[in-house]
Amino acid sequence: MYFPYYGKRVHVNYTQPVVAVQFANATANVEHHVECRLNAAGLRADDERDKFAGRVAFRLRINRD
């Protein structure tokens, strides 16, 4: 009922989900590209007009001397 999300004015009671990821063997001093995608029946995350609908992408870097 909250996908796609249109903001607090439309979805007043929406609360963002919490997602946790553990990187057990991430290489230090290297930039890792991470993308999380929505995977549910009836929901699309592959619209080329809006590449970030149903997904989030970020970079992870663990710096060690």
Side-chain angles (χ1 to χ4, degrees), residues 36-55:
C36 301
R37 293 183 184 198
L38 180 68
N39 185 12
L43 300 178
R44 294 186 56 197
D46 59 353
D47 187 349
E48 287 300 317
R49 293 175 291 152
D50 188 355
K51 292 187 178 195
F52 289 99
R55 65 179 107 173

Side-chain angles (χ1 to χ4, degrees), residues 2-54:
Y2 293 118
F3 184 81
Y5 177 65
Y6 291 113
K8 283 283 188 187
R9 290 187 179 157
V10 174
H11 299 143
V12 178
N13 296 318
Y14 177 78
T15 303
Q16 292 181 352
V18 176
V19 177
V21 179
Q22 180 177 359
F23 296 91
N25 296 313
T27 305
N29 302 319
V30 173
E31 190 171 85
H32 301 277
H33 297 269
V34 180
E35 181 175 286
C36 301
R37 293 183 184 198
L38 180 68
N39 185 12
L43 300 178
R44 294 186 56 197
D46 59 353
D47 187 349
E48 287 300 317
R49 293 175 291 152
D50 188 355
K51 292 187 178 195
F52 289 99

